[in-house]
Amino acid sequence: MSQLLLRIENELVTETDTNAKVKLLARKAGYLARVGRFDEAKEIVAALREEFGDGHSGHATIWIMLTEGLLHHFEKMSPQAVDRLNRALLLATAMRNAEVTALAAAWRAHIEFETSNFDAMFRSLTVALDNSTDQDHAARTRIFMVLCDAALLCGNRSQGQTWFLRSRDHALKEGDQASIEALLYNRAAFNLAWIRAQRCFAEVESKDLSLVRLEISSARNLQEMTGIGALTHFVHICDARLLILEGKYEAAVEKLESLRSSKPYGAYNFNQEFLDLEIAYCRYRIGDLQQSNIAEKIDQETFSHLDVDERLIAAWMVCELLSHVPVTELHRSALQHFSEVAEVFRSTEQAIRAQLTAFSAR
């Protein structure tokens, strides 16, 4: 049991103030949701709803909505998560409850980052930072984690490490084992995302692959050691995609096939057609040139709702699958599409870097 959860359990035994107890129960349910203990979290929320569902306590309402947002996100990656967080944020702001305002804004920024809504993410981070102090460890952990993720997504390891350490410091003070696990996973995942994107332009250095391999192994080991049960399939996706970069195509195919039934995913970062394309690319690199037939049938619009780095990789893989056949109109169209997505990718990266620099100057 994490120090945070143990502390909450101990405080619940002796706490008599209703508002304080509601907050403790909501924080317990939120933590349970983050580690995949969804049934237990739902039981707590249901009990709180039964007692406070008539809305007579605004304090209870904002904590319940915040917790429901976390449940929706970690159990199903549902768009309802943002709805609940928005409601919690709106009411908490009206009530001048800075703690819930900061937490709801920080978690909304987390989801906005995941959905590549970067302008909104920085606005949410500003709200979260303005409503928290350095003693608000839960909010500051999430704020700095999102900043770390954004820096790593742009390939800025140095800046990312600075935010990583600040987030970890707050998580350690909070005793929040789930956030420490998330930090390790995110560092691996977004370093990998950067390398995957760069592979579309040039070969990747083996030392960079070795470092990410170590980070993925560390994240997976910590998940297994701590019993984290929420969204654990993502570390296996990272493993499969790193196998591709390492040139271990047969192992990658086996791993990718095993992930077909895993869930949940967000519509913005995964679909089965992308998985099929990755498998086709691996088989092509093994020597099955017939996989180019798949590229000829792919509609690039299938990937239009994915994050820009995933669209870039999809466009590059299609070009790779067509590279051994005579240049045709289809081939020229694929190359043009790759060029257009690459331009969007670079401009997005530059915009994030600029906003990170401005945010760091605060």
Side-chain angles (χ1 to χ4, degrees), residues 90-332:
L90 182 64
L91 185 55
T93 302
M95 293 173 59
R96 298 184 179 179
N97 186 313
E99 182 177 17
V100 176
T101 298
L103 276 171
W107 277 108
R108 188 174 69 178
H110 168 91
I111 296 175
E112 287 163 344
F113 169 78
E114 290 195 344
T115 54
S116 297
N117 193 356
F118 299 114
D119 289 339
M121 177 196 81
F122 281 105
R123 290 195 294 270
S124 293
L125 288 174
T126 298
V127 172
L129 195 62
D130 288 346
N131 283 275
S132 62
T133 71
D134 206 48
Q135 302 308 308
D136 293 323
H137 300 307
R140 290 292 173 99
T141 295
R142 189 58 44 177
I143 292 167
F144 297 139
M145 189 185 303
V146 174
L147 289 168
C148 170
D149 296 344
L152 295 177
L153 189 66
C154 297
N156 193 331
R157 274 185 172 270
S158 176
Q159 188 182 55
Q161 184 66 8
T162 298
W163 295 121
F164 176 93
L165 292 174
R166 294 188 70 176
S167 179
R168 189 185 65 175
D169 181 58
H170 284 285
L172 288 170
K173 289 176 179 176
E174 182 83 339
D176 185 352
Q177 186 67 52
S179 285
I180 293 172
E181 181 278 326
L183 270 168
L184 288 176
Y185 165 74
N186 288 1
R187 183 169 64 180
F190 296 115
N191 278 333
L192 175 62
W194 166 255
I195 290 174
R196 288 176 71 223
Q198 295 313 298
R199 177 64 187 88
C200 298
F201 305 113
E203 291 292 335
V204 179
E205 293 189 25
S206 59
K207 64 179 179 63
D208 293 331
L209 297 179
S210 297
L211 179 57
V212 174
R213 170 58 67 194
L214 180 61
E215 291 171 343
I216 291 175
S217 296
S218 296
R220 182 173 56 240
N221 290 340
L222 184 59
Q223 283 184 350
E224 293 172 353
M225 183 175 66
T226 58
I228 298 290
L231 309 181
T232 55
H233 55 292
F234 281 107
V235 77
H236 297 291
I237 291 178
C238 289
D239 185 33
R241 289 172 170 172
L242 183 54
L243 286 170
I244 295 175
L245 291 173
E246 292 170 333
K248 301 173 182 177
Y249 301 113
E250 293 181 356
V253 168
E254 183 178 352
K255 190 81 173 182
L256 290 167
E257 291 282 10
S258 73
L259 291 167
R260 284 193 181 279
S261 60
S262 61
K263 59 182 180 180
Y265 294 101
Y268 50 84
N269 64 12
F270 185 86
N271 62 26
Q272 290 297 324
E273 290 80 9
F274 192 93
L275 183 67
D276 291 339
L277 177 58
E278 289 179 295
I279 291 171
Y281 171 76
C282 289
R283 289 176 173 159
Y284 169 78
R285 291 302 301 266
I286 292 169
D288 183 1
L289 300 184
Q290 294 303 311
Q291 296 298 322
S292 61
N293 295 333
I294 293 176
E296 295 174 3
K297 299 173 184 177
I298 285 176
D299 180 0
Q300 295 277 12
E301 283 298 310
T302 303
F303 311 119
S304 61
H305 62 281
L306 297 179
D307 295 333
V308 65
D309 55 327
E310 300 298 330
R311 298 201 308 272
L312 174 72
I313 293 160
W316 178 77
M317 284 187 173
V318 169
C319 291
E320 288 292 295
L321 288 172
L322 294 171
S323 62
H324 78 283
V325 300
V327 176
T328 63
E329 184 58 36
L330 177 65
H331 198 173
R332 284 189 287 269

Side-chain angles (χ1 to χ4, degrees), residues 122 126 129 147 159 163 351-362:
F122 281 105
T126 298
L129 195 62
L147 289 168
Q159 188 182 55
W163 295 121
I352 297 171
R353 283 177 177 267
Q355 291 190 79
L356 279 170
T357 298
F359 202 90
S360 298
R362 284 173 55 87

